[in-house]
Amino acid sequence: MAHITLVPTLLSNVATTRPTKAHAAVGARSAFGSVARRFQRNACALRAGSVVSSARRSLVTFAAKAQDPKQSSQMLVIVPPHPLIKHHLAIARNKATPSGPFRAAISELGKILLYEMTREWLPTIDLQIESPCGVADATIIDPTKPVILVPILRAGLVPIEQANQVLPVSITYHVGYVRNEATLEAELYLNKLPEKLEEGALIVVSDPMLATGGTMVACLEELMKRGAKATNIRVLCIVASPVALSKISTGFPGIRIYAAMIDAELNDKGYIVPGLGDAGDRAYGSV
């Protein structure tokens, strides 16, 4: 069974005092085991439908306070603890928020999460440049290796609306899925992915809601068929459910998911509770 590790940031929490590297490694593994067991207990409670508010909060807040450095093949879920994320999420959640401000909030959340996920991930080139006052060492993003953006239509377009403000170079390939409301299965209606992806391509898949996980799994499978590696894929979402995270972790170890929040429940229609409602309808005013 694949493990799901929730981490508040990309950086492992490191104790301010650590006698030796060996002691630190033992402590990290011990703490990681405790965190993993706690997540499994909460996941079981979710499946049993007996989650109380404290357990629901713990899904977000317990998040791997220690990360096993030898388990890089695990799926990681990162929920950055940023006040601006909380602010824009509150606006997006509010059912009274009109379409325009809702879309703006999702776009801002996408921008922040995109910034977080590209930390220490983008390929760079070291060089020297001449400033008005002399020569300086500099680092730039490698312009020959664009990040591939894959928005899942239509709602997936909104979180990457401001991607050009974060990424110096990128390519966008659209995919479209519609959910069969009877079966809750994803059905592909548009696929603009290339037949073959460049080896080592860095890919961001955007979909604001990970509810049942079916649409995201279908999209990830399409990417894998074209040569993508799970360890080079990062998922940008706004709200995720444990059901979707569990499903994704089973088939795509090594993938990273960035979310503004993890909500504990799905209703009988497969929507996240409290969630955002239908993000696509709200963003495009078609409610």
Side-chain angles (χ1 to χ4, degrees), residues 173-275:
Y173 298 120
H174 300 86
V175 294
Y177 288 89
V178 61
R179 185 169 71 165
N180 186 310
E181 295 300 333
T183 65
L184 301 184
E185 296 295 324
E187 298 178 355
L188 180 67
Y189 69 86
L190 177 70
N191 188 347
K192 292 296 185 179
L193 294 173
E195 289 297 321
K196 182 69 175 177
L197 292 165
E198 183 178 349
E199 184 176 357
L202 301 180
I203 303 168
V204 175
V205 183
S206 170
D207 194 359
M209 309 297 289
L210 294 185
T212 64
T215 299
M216 184 58 65
V217 166
C219 181
L220 294 175
E221 288 174 346
E222 287 294 328
L223 289 167
M224 301 294 277
K225 290 176 186 177
R226 290 160 170 76
K229 293 184 179 180
T231 51
N232 289 336
I233 299 175
R234 301 199 170 181
V235 173
L236 192 168
C237 71
I238 307 303
V239 181
S241 79
V243 172
L245 299 180
S246 179
K247 185 179 294 186
I248 295 169
S249 72
T250 301
F252 309 96
I255 201 169
R256 292 194 180 193
I257 298 176
Y258 287 74
M261 182 57 69
I262 300 169
D263 284 347
E265 301 175 30
L266 296 179
N267 63 20
D268 56 0
K269 294 183 179 180
Y271 283 90
I272 300 175
V273 178

Side-chain angles (χ1 to χ4, degrees), residues 103-204:
R103 180 168 174 169
I106 298 299
S107 178
E108 286 296 326
L109 286 168
K111 181 180 178 181
I112 297 170
L113 292 170
L114 191 59
Y115 175 84
E116 290 289 336
M117 75 169 56
T118 53
R119 188 192 304 270
E120 299 180 358
W121 189 51
L122 299 177
T124 60
I125 296 175
D126 293 327
L127 72 166
Q128 288 189 324
I129 59 174
E130 188 172 352
S131 79
C133 298
V135 176
D137 293 331
T139 300
I140 64 170
I141 303 302
D142 189 343
T144 68
K145 299 179 179 178
V147 173
I148 294 175
L149 301 174
V150 183
I152 298 177
L153 304 181
R154 62 183 163 163
L157 287 168
V158 183
I160 63 166
E161 281 184 337
Q162 301 186 63
N164 64 338
Q165 298 181 27
V166 179
L167 301 173
V169 57
S170 64
I171 299 174
T172 302
Y173 298 120
H174 300 86
V175 294
Y177 288 89
V178 61
R179 185 169 71 165
N180 186 310
E181 295 300 333
T183 65
L184 301 184
E185 296 295 324
E187 298 178 355
L188 180 67
Y189 69 86
L190 177 70
N191 188 347
K192 292 296 185 179
L193 294 173
E195 289 297 321
K196 182 69 175 177
L197 292 165
E198 183 178 349
E199 184 176 357
L202 301 180
I203 303 168
V204 175

